[in-house]
Amino acid sequence: MDATQNTALEAIHEEVRRCQRCPLHVGRTHAVPGAGPCDADIMFIGEAPGFHEDQQGLPFVGAAGNFLDQLLQGIGIDRSKVYITNVIKCRPPGNRDPQGDEVGACRDYLDQQIEIIHPKIIVTLGRHSMARAFPEEKISLVHGQARKVGEYTYFPMYHPAAALHQPSLKQAIEEDFQKLKQLLDGQVKPNEYQAPPQLEQLSIDRKSVV
Ligand code: URA
């Protein structure tokens, strides 16, 4: 483990714990920066902390977390080997969906976490997390497909909490974990991601006004 990398990640964790960038800090017990080794090959990005995560300051420690542990064990990976975080770092009231301004306030933390860890694979859990890399996609169409976006390989999956309660999604996430193993073993290669045409146009328009 690289000491500089570890110090940089710890500094972000500390900044998140003290963060007051959006109103969610008012109601939190603990912010939940993320957990795992700074040199992890796989990074999981969920949506937002829930009740148990807020209580403990750790990601995925409730029912969805137990299921995630089982899924990891099913492909021979221990949780201690992966880095886990969320799109937003504080629990929204009543576990409602993250709002755009909250995602925006936390974006820079997630960008920095990705940059420091530089994972081989970024697994997005749920549509809010997927939207970061593929804002125009539908999770039902793209889950379980590895795509390269710039220097990173993204692998979108359903959220384990949703999969816990819907048998069809449970089967899909179990199958996607097998595909993740194939990807890790080099049996499957990621495709280069092509943004839908309207998005490409949007990014061209943006570049031309900057
Ligand atoms: N759901 C998430 O998206 N993140 C957590 O940390 C826990 C549950």
Side-chain angles (χ1 to χ4, degrees), residues 2 10 18 23 44 60 100 127 152 159:
D2 181 318
E10 255 318 305
R18 285 184 278 105
F44 286 85
F60 281 95
R127 66 197 162 88
Y152 293 106
H159 195 288

Side-chain angles (χ1 to χ4, degrees), residues 46-49 53 59-60 86 159:
E47 279 178 18
E53 291 76 21
F60 281 95
N86 285 300
H159 195 288

Side-chain angles (χ1 to χ4, degrees), residues 6-196:
N6 202 32
T7 308
L9 190 59
E10 255 318 305
I12 294 175
H13 286 187
E14 206 36 56
E15 209 182 321
V16 168
R17 289 187 193 106
R18 285 184 278 105
C19 180
Q20 301 192 350
R21 287 186 192 174
C22 86
L24 289 182
H25 78 274
V26 177
R28 76 184 174 215
T29 313
H30 293 106
V32 182
C38 62
D39 55 357
D41 284 344
I42 315 175
M43 178 169 182
F44 286 85
I45 307 176
E47 279 178 18
F51 175 81
H52 296 285
E53 291 76 21
D54 172 73
Q55 292 291 307
Q56 297 184 39
L58 292 169
F60 281 95
V61 286
N66 290 338
F67 185 39
L68 181 61
D69 287 350
Q70 278 174 34
L71 290 163
L72 282 166
Q73 276 161 20
I75 58 166
I77 298 177
D78 194 83
R79 175 201 272 245
S80 64
K81 299 278 182 286
V82 303
Y83 186 82
I84 307 178
T85 189
N86 285 300
V87 172
I88 65 168
K89 316 299 191 198
C90 294
R91 182 188 182 211
N95 294 347
R96 63 153 168 73
D97 283 350
Q99 292 174 351
D101 52 343
E102 296 157 359
V103 174
C106 267
R107 186 179 311 277
D108 173 51
Y109 295 133
L110 190 52
D111 286 345
Q112 291 188 63
Q113 287 169 312
I114 292 174
E115 212 168 291
I116 293 167
I117 296 166
H118 212 91
K120 293 198 176 117
I121 301 171
I122 298 174
V123 180
T124 61
L125 299 170
R127 66 197 162 88
H128 293 282
S129 174
M130 179 197 71
R132 201 192 131 79
F134 313 114
E136 288 294 284
E137 297 288 2
K138 285 184 97 144
I139 195 159
S140 56
L141 299 180
V142 302
H143 72 90
Q145 295 169 34
R147 278 131 164 236
K148 247 183 139 35
V149 183
E151 55 187 319
Y152 293 106
T153 296
Y154 281 83
F155 193 79
M157 288 200 197
Y158 285 111
H159 195 288
L164 260 182
H165 303 294
Q166 290 184 53
S168 64
L169 299 191
K170 186 162 188 268
Q171 191 181 344
I173 201 170
E174 285 166 353
E175 288 169 6
D176 287 350
F177 262 80
Q178 293 305 321
K179 291 183 196 156
L180 176 62
K181 180 165 170 39
Q182 291 172 357
L183 185 67
L184 286 164
D185 293 346
Q187 291 164 12
V188 173
K189 297 273 175 248
N191 289 323
E192 212 60 51
Y193 179 60
Q194 285 295 322

